[in-house]
C-alpha cells in the first residue's frame, strides 16, 4: 500500500463546476501537508499548505482531518486553466524530513 | 531569472553509458533534492542534501551518485544506464530542511535506448 493515496481520476468537469479531491495517508507521524499542482510536462508547484483548521485561497479550500488521516482540496468555479494534475504531499521527520508525493489526481475542465 | 535550473533538458543515451545531470539554484536555499518521476507520473524522492551534506538517500541503486560541490549546486551522475532509468528527473530546493515549499527545476527527460 502506498503511503499517500489519491484517486488518479481523471475528473472531467465543466467550467464553473465545483470539484473535490481526496487524499489519504498511512503514517500517523506525518507532520505537514500540502497540495501541489503539476501541468503537463512541467514541474510541480506549490498550490497551498493544508492546516487542521482548514484554509482557503481564493477558489481553493484545503482541509486536513488528522484523526482520519485524510486531506481534501475543493475547487470552486472551475476555470479552464485549472486543468492539471493535483498532487497530495505529506512531510514527516525521519531524521531528514522526508517528502512523500501522491501519484496525483488528473483534472480536465472543459468549456 | 530562473530559480532552479537543470541541464540538459533532454538526454537520450544508450544502455551502459554514464551520464550526468546538473542542477543549480540561485535562491540561496540550504536544501536541495533529486526526484524521479516515472512513466506512471509517480514522483519519488531519491536524495536530499542540506548544506552540502547528504540527509536522505532512498533505496536508489549505487549507480546513482549525487554530488554537491556547494550549496547552490547538486549534480546527479548515473553509471551504467539501464532501460528502467528512463524517466523525468527533477531537482528541487527549499529554504531549509523543514521549510514548507520546495521549488522545482524544469526537469530532465532521460531516455535510455
Amino acid at each position: 500500500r502506498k503511503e499517500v493515496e489519491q484517486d488518479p481520476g481523471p475528473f472531467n468537469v465543466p467550467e464553473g463546476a465545483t470539484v473535490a479531491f481526496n487524499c489519504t495517508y498511512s503514517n500517523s507521524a506525518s507532520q505537514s501537508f500540502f497540495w501541489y499542482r503539476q501541468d503537463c510536462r512541467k514541474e510541480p508547484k506549490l498550490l497551498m499548505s493544508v492546516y487542521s483548521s482548514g484554509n482557503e485561497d481564493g477558489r481553493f479550500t484545503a482541509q486536513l482531518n488528522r484523526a482520519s488521516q485524510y486531506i481534501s482540496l475543493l475547487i470552486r468555479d472551475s476555470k479552464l486553466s485549472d486543468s492539471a494534475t493535483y498532487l497530495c504531499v505529506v512531510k514527516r521527520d525521519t531524521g531528514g524530513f522526508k517528502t512523500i508525493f501522491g501519484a496525483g489526481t488528473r483534472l480536465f475542465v472543459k468549456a | 531569472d530562473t530559480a532552479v535550473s537543470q541541464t540538459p533538458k533532454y538526454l537520450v543515451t544508450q544502455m551502459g553509458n554514464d551520464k550526468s545531470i546538473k542542477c543549480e539554484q540561485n535562491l540561496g536555499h540550504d536544501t536541495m533534492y533529486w526526484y524521479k518521476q516515472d512513466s506512471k507520473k509517480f514522483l519519488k524522492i531519491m536524495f536530499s542534501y542540506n548544506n552540502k551534506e547528504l540527509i536522505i538517500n532512498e533505496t536508489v541503486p549505487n549507480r546513482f551518485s549525487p554530488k554537491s560541490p556547494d550549496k547552490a549546486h547538486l549534480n546527479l551522475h548515473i553509471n551504467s544506464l539501464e532501460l528502467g532509468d528512463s524517466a523525468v528527473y527533477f531537482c528541487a530546493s527549499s529554504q531549509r530542511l523543514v521549510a514548507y515549499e520546495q521549488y522545482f527545476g524544469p526537469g530532465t527527460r532521460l531516455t535510455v535506448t
Side-chain angles (χ1 to χ4, degrees), chain B residues 7 26 34 44 52-53 56 61 64 69 71 75 83-84 87 89 93 98 100 103 106-107 112:
Chain B
T7 53
N26 62 6
W34 275 111
K44 189 169 180 185
K52 300 196 301 172
E53 185 184 337
I56 290 174
F64 290 80
K71 278 193 342 182
N75 304 323
L83 293 176
Y89 292 83
S93 74
V98 302
Y100 289 160
Y103 294 80
V112 183

Side-chain angles (χ1 to χ4, degrees), chain B residues 34-69:
Chain B
W34 275 111
Y35 287 86
K36 178 181 179 181
Q37 188 167 43
D38 59 27
S39 56
K40 293 184 177 158
K41 307 299 181 190
F42 191 54
L43 196 66
K44 189 169 180 185
I45 192 162
M46 300 173 70
F47 302 102
S48 170
Y49 269 73
N50 189 56
N51 284 318
K52 300 196 301 172
E53 185 184 337
L54 180 64
I55 301 297
I56 290 174
N57 182 353
E58 286 297 301
T59 309
V60 174
N62 290 339
R63 299 181 295 103
F64 290 80
S65 52
K67 273 201 171 64
S68 182

